[in-house]
């Protein structure tokens, strides 16, 4: 298992970041490596983002010094979304089959978590998000059909999309983790515009279904001092609470959003008027 640690950045410092510094602090360029678990530990809300891609055999979720406990989930909860071929996750002996775009919430206190592909020629890719937890709930599989679907947007604004709320209070109880998937319809490229911040929570965007050479231009930063990061397929961007988070692609795409912080209210947003953006 590989784990990289990222420290939090004050907005005053970020104002002076050049392109490479922005990418070094906020872009997660590598989520999947064959037969590996790759994680990034962010000190922004102590959020962990990464991926597991088993090919030759099962992979176990191990702890690390950055996690600070004997088992990875002793004081954490985990969200798993399969964005590859069919796979299987075993949690303390219980087996969960995950088809593409299925989700699994794994509760705090789970000690043995293993990831496995059902077809080596088409391996599963398990996208992982983890946040600290204070209570134990029920490990639960959420298929995309079981998610709460919210249809938003307008073709005239190039943002017609469906939001699938998966790890969400209306679907699954958690300590603080909230997670979902947004699928843009063909010929729609914008997400989260008009944009917002939410000072109570951080958020991570993971972009996929983006064949080369397509890219997403992800906007971040303070509303009156915006910046952008160019994002390729299967890369993620960590968004601190003070930053906007929005993007436009060179074609339609799908992204997974995950949040952690003081509340789980999806609608708790501080909307940014378009005229204040700079």
């Amino acid at each position: 298992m590989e784990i990289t640690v990222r420290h939090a950045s004050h907005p005053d410092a970020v104002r002076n970041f050049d392109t490479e510094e922005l990418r070094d602090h906020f872009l997660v360029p590598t989520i999947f490596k064959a037969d590996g678990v790759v994680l990034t530990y962010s000190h922004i809300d102590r959020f962990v983002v990464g991926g597991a891609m088993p090919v030759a055999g099962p992979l176990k979720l191990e702890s690390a010094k950055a996690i600070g406990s004997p088992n990875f989930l002793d004081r954490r909860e985990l969200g798993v979304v399969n964005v590859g071929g069919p796979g299987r996750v075993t949690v303390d002996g219980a087996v969960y089959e995950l088809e593409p775009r299925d989700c699994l919430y794994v509760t705090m206190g789970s000690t043995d978590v293993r990831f496995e592909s059902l077809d080596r020629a088409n391996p599963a890719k398990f996208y992982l998000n983890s946040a600290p937890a204070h209570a134990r709930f029920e490990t639960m599989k959420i298929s995309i059909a079981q998610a709460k679907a919210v249809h938003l947007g307008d073709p005239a604004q190039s943002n017609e999309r469906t939001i699938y709320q998966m790890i969400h209070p209306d679907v699954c109880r958690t300590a603080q983790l909230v997670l979902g998937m947004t699928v843009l319809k063909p010929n729609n490229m914008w997400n989260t515009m008009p944009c917002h911040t939410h000072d109570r929570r951080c958020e991570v965007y993971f972009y996929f279904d983006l064949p080369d050479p397509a890219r997403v231009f992800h906007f971040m930063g303070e509303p009156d001092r915006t910046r952008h990061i160019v994002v390729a397929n299967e890369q993620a961007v960590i968004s601190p609470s003070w930053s906007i988070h929005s993007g436009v692609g060179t074609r339609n795409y799908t992204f997974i959003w995950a949040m952690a912080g003081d509340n789980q209210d999806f609608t708790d947003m501080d909307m940014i008027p378009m005229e204040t953006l700079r």
Side-chain angles (χ1 to χ4, degrees), residues 27-43:
L27 179 70
V28 184
T30 303
I31 297 292
F32 300 114
K33 287 186 179 180
D35 288 316
V37 178
V38 181
L39 302 176
T40 296
Y41 180 107
S42 173
H43 280 279

Side-chain angles (χ1 to χ4, degrees), residues 68-207:
S69 58
N71 300 293
F72 189 93
L73 295 176
D74 283 348
R75 297 294 300 274
R76 288 185 158 270
E77 56 190 358
L78 176 70
V80 182
V81 182
N82 183 11
V83 298
R88 176 185 297 130
V89 182
T90 303
V91 180
D92 294 338
V95 177
Y96 301 89
E97 307 278 348
L98 295 189
E99 293 295 321
R101 303 195 179 195
D102 283 351
C103 175
L104 180 68
Y105 169 73
V106 185
T107 189
M108 181 189 81
S110 303
T111 59
D112 189 352
V113 180
R114 298 173 189 263
F115 307 99
E116 185 177 0
S117 293
L118 301 185
D119 180 0
R120 291 187 181 185
N122 183 26
K125 293 180 177 180
F126 298 104
Y127 176 58
L128 311 177
N129 290 270
S130 176
H134 64 278
R136 181 177 172 88
F137 297 97
E138 179 184 356
T139 294
M140 180 179 178
K141 174 184 171 180
I142 306 106
S143 71
I144 193 166
Q146 295 170 311
K148 180 180 178 182
V150 180
H151 306 285
L152 294 175
D154 182 343
Q157 296 180 341
S158 191
N159 66 356
E160 193 172 8
R161 62 204 186 275
T162 300
I163 298 173
Y164 294 95
Q165 298 174 344
M166 293 172 152
I167 300 177
H168 181 277
D170 290 341
V171 180
C172 171
R173 290 191 69 197
T174 71
Q176 66 165 323
L177 184 64
V178 179
L179 177 151
M181 179 187 302
T182 298
V183 181
L184 275 77
K185 291 190 174 182
N187 303 316
N188 289 267
M189 282 77 77
W190 275 99
N191 76 70
T192 328
M193 183 61 70
C195 62
H196 61 264
T197 62
H198 30 65
D199 203 44
R200 278 69 60 194
R201 301 186 304 273
C202 74
E203 189 160 8
V204 178
Y205 275 19
F206 167 71
Y207 292 98

